[in-house]
């Protein structure tokens, strides 16, 4: 077995020095017709023919006007390892049609990418339709065999990096973005690629542990609802003790949490008797395991609040207060997001909900914390509850008199239970010298709940004199997409971090970029593909690409020229023409000219110092800053201009006329 076969046998990724080589990426990762064409070329004695292929895309994804080029390093790894193993040759002998000459298989067995030259724009650079992002020169047969593999390495990588960059732009630079999509990705390779290229595009971390190891990406995560529901009572806590961070003295974390829970009950208006005991036990358990990294999921259980209790026992008092303190409310029509047929119905983040999630009745309406219905109402109250932990692991509840209760008219009950228990455990950790990290919200009205959580943390910070509580992180997940974030921005959310999975890794808005690989020159002679669809007409010949910049530093236009033409000069007028529309032309006087292509592979080796993933990630943001905001906006972005030189324009149209058939009328 050769090195590649050993790598595949030992695992999907093999160590090739500085680069992790994916063992799946090999010459047989191609379409059958590439190999049958190779045989036909060989049979036609075209082994000495040289060709130029352009790899490009025709349209930007996601209704946008830019694309991030990614996947170049993987292409270079593929060229570096390109070789048909003996087992590959044996398989092809069995698979290809009968009659193929034995000498062809010997020819395949000796093929490498040594005579190939690869030009490309820098990975992480913004790219635009029709401008080749990779240009391949070399022997016709070998560069033909590279097609499918190069396309699969670039298509998804660029699509994923672009999708991630768009999420980063709508979220803003101060909000963290985490990729949570492995379980929803198209297989293991899709999951690993999504983690890598979402980080390239601007995400801050991933939940994918293997991606963290392979690509040195920060790995982040909390816990699932399963951890909360695995506890049903505090009696299941087998460990309650934790060392004080400074003194090292063992103390009972549950005892501290229960004491704070009782005090918080009045402040947050959640009855300790009715909030979830199992949830409290789960949070205490997790906090003991990770006292410096305590982040809790807070939306697991449905639970009554004092609103529910007192509405049952004192309806007249509450109704009197409502009539005195609240303006009359309009009737809810069938088209509104109110209650219909006794069920809460709402539209949350663009998705219609039926008020029940995960078996828990929740009001998912789109009201914000500023609405009148969310204001606290102060009413007299005769009782409250005090809860303590007993030695047998149960909670003892006693009734005591109190002063005033605060009665929010709108509550996410399961969320309020989670907030109560989290705050209690976080304060307990504070007693012992630790600081909790924050909470995760995985359902409901994310804008409202994040505002409620932030308001709660501010109240706790003021009441208990713990300023760091104001800075607790609020993470939101739950099928979030680009439009969701835009909507949450409009609603004034208080979310610090988004965990995004399905819509990110599957690129649901556009699942493929559509890169193509076209022959543009053979043996120094240009080739053109004609079509009734002008979009599919190729631009022939070996070309160079330049980006022209204005005086303010923004990119103005990308210009394609024949390789024989001199590059555009700073301060000199350049005629830029639309490749196919004669009347669309303009003079451009660039303040800066950037040559887009570099030689990345030649004579069997990599010719450039490859950037790290961090450097590519930084390149993405630098490159995006060169675009005007109207090119990057999500709604009706301005198309970026791609042009050809006057010389190339005339060359294309002359060749078009030479190759287009002349019709006959009769």
């Amino acid at each position: 077995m050769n090195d590649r076969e050993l790598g595949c046998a030992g695992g999907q990724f093999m160590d090739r020095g500085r680069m992790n080589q994916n063992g799946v990426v090999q010459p047989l990762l191609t379409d059958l017709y590439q190999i049958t064409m190779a045989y036909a070329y060989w049979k036609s004695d075209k082994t000495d023919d040289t060709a130029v292929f352009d790899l490009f895309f025709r349209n930007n994804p996601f209704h946008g006007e830019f694309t991030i080029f990614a996947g170049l390093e993987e292409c270079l790894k593929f060229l570096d390892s390109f070789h048909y193993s003996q087992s590959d040759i044996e398989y092809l002998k069995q698979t290809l049609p009968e009659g193929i000459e034995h000498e062809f298989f010997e020819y395949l067995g000796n093929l490498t990418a040594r005579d190939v030259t690869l030009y490309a724009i820098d990975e992480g650079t913004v790219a635009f339709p029709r401008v080749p992002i990779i240009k391949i020169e070399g022997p016709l047969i070998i560069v033909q065999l590279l097609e499918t593999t190069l396309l699969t390495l670039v298509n998804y990588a660029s699509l994923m990096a672009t999708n991630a960059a768009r999420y980063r732009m709508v979220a803003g630079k101060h909000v963290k973005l985490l990729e949570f999509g492995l379980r929803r990705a198209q297989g293991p390779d899709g999951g690993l690629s999504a983690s890598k290229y979402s980080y390239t595009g601007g995400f801050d971390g991933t939940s994918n542990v293997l991606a963290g190891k392979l690509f040195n990406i920060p790995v982040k995560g909390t816990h699932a609802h399963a951890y909360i529901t695995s506890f049903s009572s505090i009696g299941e806590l087998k460990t309650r003790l934790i060392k004080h961070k400074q003194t090292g003295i063992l103390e009972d974390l549950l005892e501290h949490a229960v004491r704070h829970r009782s005090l918080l009950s009045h402040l947050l208006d959640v009855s300790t008797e009715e909030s979830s005991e199992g949830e409290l036990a789960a949070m205490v358990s997790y906090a003991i395991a990770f006292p410096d990294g305590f982040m809790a999921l807070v939306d697991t259980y449905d639970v009554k609040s004092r609103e529910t209790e007192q509405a049952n026992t004192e309806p007249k008092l509450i109704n009197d207060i409502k009539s005195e303190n609240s303006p009359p409310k309009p009737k809810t029509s069938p088209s509104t997001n109110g209650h219909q047929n006794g069920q809460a119905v709402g539209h949350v983040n663009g998705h219609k909900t039926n008020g029940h999630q995960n078996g828990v009745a929740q009001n998912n309406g789109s009201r914000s914390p500023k609405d009148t219905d969310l204001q606290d109402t102060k009413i007299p109250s005769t009782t409250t509850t005090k809860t303590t932990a007993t030695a047998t692991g149960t909670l003892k509840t006693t009734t005591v008199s109190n002063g005033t209760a605060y009665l929010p008219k709108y509550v996410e009950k399961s969320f309020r239970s989670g907030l109560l228990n989290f705050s209690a455990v976080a304060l307990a950790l504070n007693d012992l010298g630790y600081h909790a990290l924050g909470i995760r919200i995985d359902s409901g009205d994310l804008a409202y709940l994040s505002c409620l959580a932030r308001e709660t943390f501010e109240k706790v910070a003021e009441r208990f004199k713990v300023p760091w509580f104001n800075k607790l992180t609020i993470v939101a997940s739950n099928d979030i997409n680009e439009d969701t974030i835009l909507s949450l921005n409009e609603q004034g959310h208080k979310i610090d971090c988004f965990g995004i999975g399905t819509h990110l890794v599957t690129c649901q808005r556009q699942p493929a970029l559509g890169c193509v690989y076209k022959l543009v020159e053979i043996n120094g002679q240009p080739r053109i593909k004609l079509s009734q669809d002008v979009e599919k007409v190729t631009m022939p010949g070996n070309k160079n690409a330049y980006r022209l910049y204005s005086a303010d530093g923004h990119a103005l236009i990308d210009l394609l020229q024949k390789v024989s033409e001199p590059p555009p000069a700073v301060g000199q007028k350049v005629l830029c023409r639309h490749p196919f529309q004669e009347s669309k032309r303009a003079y451009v006087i660039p303040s800066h000219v950037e040559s887009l292509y570099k030689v990345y592979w030649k004579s069997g080796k990599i010719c450039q110092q490859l950037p790290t993933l961090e450097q590519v990630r930084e390149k993405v943001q630098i490159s995006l800053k060169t675009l005007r905001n109207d090119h990057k906006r999500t709604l009706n972005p301005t198309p970026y201009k791609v042009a050809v030189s006057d010389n190339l324009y005339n060359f294309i149209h002359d060749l078009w006329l030479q190759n287009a058939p002349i019709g006959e009328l009769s």
Side-chain angles (χ1 to χ4, degrees):
M1 299 176 74
N2 64 21
D3 288 343
R4 172 164 58 76
E5 291 174 299
L6 287 169
C8 292
Q12 184 180 2
F13 283 81
M14 61 184 182
D15 187 6
R16 292 182 58 87
R18 64 174 297 277
M19 300 187 293
N20 285 315
Q21 172 67 48
N22 188 339
V24 172
V25 181
Q26 52 183 288
L28 290 190
L29 185 67
T30 190
D31 296 308
L32 177 64
Y33 81 166
Q34 307 290 6
I35 300 173
T36 56
M37 279 193 293
Y39 177 66
Y41 286 142
W42 181 85
K43 188 75 172 171
S44 301
D45 199 24
K46 283 182 170 287
T47 54
D48 294 327
D49 287 10
T50 59
V52 179
F53 281 82
D54 286 346
L55 193 157
F56 61 95
F57 55 93
R58 296 189 176 106
N59 295 288
N60 289 304
F62 313 118
H63 306 292
E65 289 299 336
F66 71 87
T67 299
I68 303 297
F69 170 49
L72 176 60
E73 183 179 8
E74 297 302 319
C75 294
L76 298 173
K77 294 177 190 177
F78 173 57
L79 294 181
D80 185 49
S81 64
F82 187 91
H83 174 66
Y84 290 97
S85 69
Q86 188 58 43
S87 66
D88 292 342
I89 299 298
E90 292 302 320
Y91 173 76
L92 291 175
K93 287 179 179 179
Q94 300 170 23
T95 305
L96 294 176
E98 292 184 7
I100 292 182
E101 299 171 45
H102 179 74
E103 288 80 7
F104 173 68
F105 294 110
E106 291 182 351
Y107 171 79
L108 281 185
N110 292 322
L111 275 183
T112 69
R114 175 172 297 277
D115 296 324
V116 172
T117 302
L118 183 146
Y119 302 82
I121 67 175
D122 290 336
E123 187 163 9
T125 301
V126 289
F128 303 99
R130 292 193 170 276
V131 178
I133 48 183
I134 291 178
K135 184 173 68 170
I136 298 283
E137 298 178 4
L140 173 61
I141 293 178
I142 178 66
V143 294
Q144 183 71 71
L145 287 168
L146 296 175
E147 175 182 359
T148 301
T149 316
L150 293 180
L151 285 172
T152 196
L153 291 173
V154 169
N155 259 313
Y156 180 70
S158 299
L159 184 73
M160 186 69 239
T162 306
N163 200 21
R166 291 176 63 87
Y167 275 96
R168 168 50 64 200
M169 288 194 305
V170 299
K173 62 182 180 180
H174 299 300
V175 174
K176 297 288 186 182
L177 295 175
L178 301 177
E179 177 268 311
F180 282 177
L182 176 60
R183 64 186 60 193
R184 305 288 171 80
Q186 281 89 344
D189 278 294
L192 285 169
S193 295
S195 299
K196 178 179 181 179
Y197 294 113
S198 63
Y199 188 67
T200 298
F203 272 57
D204 298 287
T206 179
S207 63
N208 186 339
V209 180
L210 181 57
K213 176 186 177 183
L214 291 174
F215 309 124
N216 198 30
I217 301 171
V219 180
K220 305 289 183 181
T222 55
H223 60 75
H225 290 287
Y227 191 84
I228 300 293
T229 58
S230 70
F231 290 81
S232 58
S233 71
I234 62 170
E236 297 177 21
L237 278 174
K238 295 183 170 56
T239 302
R240 293 166 47 164
L241 301 180
I242 182 175
K243 288 183 179 179
H244 192 288
K245 190 171 184 178
Q246 280 79 43
T247 66
I249 298 173
L250 283 173
E251 298 195 36
D252 190 324
L253 185 64
L254 176 63
E255 184 177 299
H256 284 268
V258 168
R259 176 170 54 82
H260 284 298
R261 191 168 178 248
S262 180
L263 297 172
L264 286 164
S265 172
H266 176 75
L267 181 68
L268 305 185
D269 184 42
V270 182
S271 168
T272 57
E273 183 179 13
E274 297 297 334
S275 58
S276 171
E277 183 180 318
E279 182 180 56
L280 176 64
M283 289 187 182
V284 169
S285 169
Y286 204 77
I288 290 172
F290 301 101
D292 280 316
F294 178 55
M295 178 169 282
L297 191 55
V298 293
D299 61 353
T300 303
Y301 289 115
D302 189 4
V303 56
K304 286 194 286 186
S305 70
R306 287 201 184 90
E307 175 189 23
T308 307
E309 291 179 2
Q310 296 188 18
N312 291 333
T313 58
E314 300 175 294
K316 184 177 184 303
L317 174 60
I318 294 174
N319 287 335
D320 289 343
I321 292 169
K322 284 183 177 178
S323 63
E324 291 174 7
N325 295 291
S326 302
K329 297 176 71 173
K331 292 183 179 180
T332 303
S333 68
S335 63
T336 64
N337 296 337
H339 292 274
Q340 302 177 18
N341 302 322
Q343 185 182 51
V345 177
H347 287 77
V348 183
N349 307 327
H351 303 288
K352 186 174 181 180
T353 60
N354 292 324
H356 291 269
Q357 299 184 13
N358 301 324
V360 177
Q362 298 185 10
N363 187 332
N364 290 329
S366 58
R367 309 185 198 182
S368 74
K370 296 181 180 179
D371 290 347
T372 303
D373 285 353
L374 304 185
Q375 301 303 314
D376 289 348
T377 301
K378 187 180 291 187
I379 67 167
S381 176
T382 57
T383 63
T384 186
T385 55
K386 181 179 180 181
T387 310
T388 55
T390 67
T392 58
T394 61
L395 295 181
K396 178 181 178 183
T397 303
T398 56
T399 301
V400 296
S401 62
N402 75 343
T404 304
Y406 288 82
L407 191 61
K409 298 176 187 174
Y410 173 85
V411 270
E412 283 281 357
K413 298 183 181 66
S414 64
F415 182 73
R416 287 161 55 79
S417 170
L419 271 186
L420 173 66
N421 286 325
F422 167 79
S423 298
V425 175
L427 288 173
L429 286 172
N430 183 71
D431 292 344
L432 305 179
Y434 303 98
H435 285 181
L437 295 183
I439 62 171
R440 179 163 72 94
I441 310 169
D442 193 48
S443 61
D445 185 336
L446 299 179
Y448 166 71
L449 294 179
S450 67
C451 291
L452 177 61
R454 183 61 66 204
E455 181 184 355
T456 297
F457 296 155
E458 289 171 353
K459 287 181 180 178
V460 173
E462 182 179 358
R463 168 66 177 80
F464 292 90
K465 309 303 180 188
V466 280
W468 60 266
F469 234 80
N470 286 319
K471 304 298 182 182
L472 284 170
T473 297
I474 299 173
V475 180
S477 48
N478 187 28
D479 214 24
I480 291 168
N481 60 33
E482 191 177 319
D483 292 333
T484 305
I485 298 176
L486 287 169
S487 176
L488 290 169
N489 290 343
E490 292 174 356
Q491 296 175 65
H493 71 84
K494 301 297 182 183
I495 297 164
D496 302 297
C497 176
F498 288 105
I500 305 174
T502 305
H503 289 276
L504 174 69
V505 303
T506 63
C507 299
Q508 284 192 354
R509 292 183 67 185
Q510 182 174 327
L513 177 57
C515 285
V516 293
Y517 187 86
K518 297 299 179 183
L519 175 68
V520 295
E521 184 178 283
I522 187 164
N523 296 328
Q525 298 300 310
R527 291 293 185 266
I528 186 171
K529 176 185 180 294
L530 299 180
S531 172
Q532 290 184 339
D533 184 356
V534 174
E535 187 182 75
K536 292 193 173 183
V537 175
T538 59
M539 287 191 277
N542 197 346
K543 299 172 290 295
N544 282 328
Y546 300 92
R547 186 159 295 168
L548 311 185
Y549 291 84
S550 63
D552 63 5
H554 287 124
L556 281 174
I557 195 167
D558 278 13
L559 179 67
L560 292 172
Q561 295 186 166
K562 296 176 69 176
V563 291
S564 58
E565 295 183 69
V570 171
Q572 298 296 312
K573 186 184 294 185
V574 181
L575 178 59
C576 299
R577 305 194 64 170
H578 189 285
F580 304 115
Q581 297 183 29
E582 186 175 14
S583 62
K584 289 191 174 182
R585 53 189 180 170
Y587 284 111
V588 176
I589 303 176
S591 295
H592 171 62
V593 176
E594 178 186 7
S595 179
L596 293 179
Y597 294 142
K598 294 177 182 175
V599 179
Y600 271 93
W601 175 270
K602 190 174 183 178
S603 302
K605 60 183 180 181
I606 297 172
C607 303
Q608 303 285 339
Q609 179 69 40
L610 293 183
T612 64
L613 191 60
E614 289 287 348
Q615 290 170 328
V616 176
R617 185 171 182 264
E618 184 179 354
K619 175 72 173 180
V620 171
Q621 300 308 316
I622 293 172
S623 189
L624 281 169
K625 286 179 182 178
T626 66
L627 298 185
R628 298 198 314 263
N629 287 332
D630 58 305
H631 294 310
K632 296 181 287 187
R633 65 191 179 203
T634 56
L635 182 63
N636 297 324
T638 302
Y640 181 86
K641 292 179 175 60
V642 173
V644 297
S645 66
D646 189 53
N647 194 340
L648 181 56
Y649 174 87
N650 292 320
F651 175 72
I652 292 171
H653 287 263
D654 288 345
L655 194 63
W656 193 339
L657 291 175
Q658 291 173 26
N659 286 270
I662 300 175
E664 181 177 320
L665 298 177
S666 60

